[in-house]
Amino acid sequence: MTQAQFQETANIEARGTEPADRHWRDYFTFNTDHKVIGIQYLVTTFGFYLIGGVLATLVRTELATPDSDFVTPELYNSLFTVHATVMIFLWIVPAGAGFANFLIPLMIGAKDMAFPRLNALAFWMIPVAGVLLLSSFLVGAPQAGWTSYPPLSLVTAQMGEEIWILSVLFLGTSSILGAVNFAVTIFTMRVPSMSLNEMPLFCWAMIATSALTLVATPVLAAALILLSFDLLAGTAFFNPTGNGDPVVYQHLFWFYSHPAVYIMIMPFFGVISEILPIHSRKPIFGYLAIAYSSLAISFLGLIVWAHHMFTSGTPGWLRMFFMITTMIIAVPTGIKIFSWLATIWGGKLRLVSAMLFGMGFISTFLLGGITGIMVASVPFDIHVHDTYFIVAHLHYVLFGGSVFGIYAAFYHWFPKMTGRMLNEFWGRVHFGLTYIGFTVTFLPMHALGMQGMPRRVAMYDPKFTTINVICTIGAYMLAVSTIPFIVNVIWSWRYGPKAGDNPWEALTLEWMTTSPPPIENFEGIPVLATGPYDYGMEKIQNTGERLKLMLRENAIASSGQKRGIPIAEAQASTFFSGTATLVEPESEINVDSPADERQDSN
Ligand code: HEM
Ligand SMILES: [Cu+2]
């Protein structure tokens, strides 16, 4: 009996029996089921990704030639401003929240999030904010970049700028509400047998992410509200013509926006930590190191913001502080990367699409991390500041660290969300096109930056033309790469082969219920019969005693629940009574083998 079968057997009582039968209309309502909300988030944010992608394609089309012949320079500014805002605030940040919504209650054995209505509210603020932001094109979209530095933001496209502020305030509020919900849910709603150090690493990642969100996002809100006063009411917090200080805005902005890169990436650190051990069939290497390094990254992430301001008149001694703290972040990040590599090292790799995207994540994020150390060095940063080197770096981090992670998660949890398998062949085609398109688009930008091409300009010196054409071709490839994905998702959702409850033979609790899970996830209280990543370990015998104990704890916790836990306890005693080796208990437990169970539940 494998660990996965062992874990499944322990949960036969707890598992739901009827997968939730959802109608598509449910997804257009103020539904409070965390699974519906999770899917609402994912589908909506993917829609915004496509919009952001169209804007990116327009930006790259303009940059295919050195003159501004495709759009006006003003429209160009609006395009990259809205592109960046959409990608960050409407795609990767809320997509992480989408997976967290779907997964956290399942992973910790809870029936829903702590505050289901707040959860729905947090979601519904997103489409509102998105439509608001895009509507700014009707009145002149914002042009000051996603950073919105004054004084530029005070003098360009004022109406669009105010819309931008409102929209980002909405999105920030939504992410704060989400963070409160994730933290409270994880801390208070785990099954009684799950200690913090036995949680799936995704939950640790979401604790770290929520902590960052709660500390940093209100500061952004403050900055934007003050900026709004400068814009509308003629105050001069940041406006130099009235003795305001634009650099103060930069401090407030980056106090949020540096941590924001970790808010964007950290959930996917968690995703990768789930996916690699499952598809390597090996225990995760360094569970505690991975869990606690997320907390270290959160803390360090809060004290490095001025590395974005090395050229903003920051005095030398202060630059030193920010350079050193920034470089120290490489330590916990390196711990994660080495632990992941040690996890797949020597494993029996299953190169399914989720795993390919997971490995793509590591390779591209690693390169982004290395250029990160480069730009953290003051002398180098002064050379490449505001050039395409930065654009290359940020896309390696955000595309590599977030988009690859999002896709990995999509492929991995799609069977749980829909009860259907995605097509592997088209998944691999999607991966290949994305990886190549990504590299062709962004790798050459490092060279462009080193040679001095400034960012955020529609026109450039003709000597940069060749490299720009290559980047533009890559961008079109990236646009095309989404097609196999979209078709695969739509087709498989309707006609894909049935997935069964646990197609990857995973050990974490979300796989111990039906696919898709029933309305309240589990019928009893699920039990941890193994650690979350004990693949290939013959721990079954040792866990026996512990399992009995946990079943008893659960029975106490669930007294008054509708399903009779005593059965589970009885089952546990058959399970363990007198058997010296517990390696083949199927015959004794008198239940169908997990494989048959799986078929029944479809
Ligand atoms: C998918 C996730 C993506 C994210 C999170 C993202 C993020 C960003 C951000 C933050 C900026 C602003 C840079 C600045 O501060 O000037 C930006 C600019 C830009 N992005 Fe993306 N982007 C993504 C995808 C893409 C794709 C797929 C392309 C190419 C097809 C692309 C091409 C560009 C270009 C050309 C700029 C303009 C840079 C400039 O004019 O300085 N981005 N992106
Ligand atoms: Cu930063």
Side-chain angles (χ1 to χ4, degrees), residues 121-178:
L121 177 66
F123 165 71
W124 280 103
M125 296 179 84
I126 290 171
V128 173
V131 171
L132 185 65
L133 178 67
L134 294 173
S135 73
S136 69
F137 275 107
L138 302 176
V139 292
Q143 292 186 27
W146 77 284
T147 52
S148 230
Y149 279 3
L152 187 63
S153 52
L154 298 174
V155 296
T156 51
Q158 297 192 354
M159 176 101 85
E161 187 61 35
E162 188 55 37
I163 293 178
W164 181 90
I165 291 174
L166 280 177
S167 163
V168 175
L169 281 174
F170 257 79
L171 295 165
T173 309
S174 160
S175 91
I176 290 174
L177 299 182

Side-chain angles (χ1 to χ4, degrees), residues 102-120:
F102 190 90
L103 292 172
I104 286 176
L106 287 165
M107 282 181 163
I108 63 174
K111 296 197 181 304
D112 204 326
M113 297 287 282
F115 310 115
R117 281 161 187 275
L118 198 66
N119 204 16

Side-chain angles (χ1 to χ4, degrees), residues 282-298:
K282 272 183 66 196
I284 189 108
F285 182 93
Y287 174 94
L288 286 182
I290 295 183
Y292 296 163
S293 61
S294 294
L295 302 182
I297 291 174
S298 290

Side-chain angles (χ1 to χ4, degrees), residues 26-29 36-45 123-124:
D26 294 345
Y27 293 95
F28 292 85
T29 60
V36 173
I37 295 176
I39 291 173
Q40 285 176 325
Y41 263 99
L42 292 173
V43 173
T44 310
T45 53
F123 165 71
W124 280 103

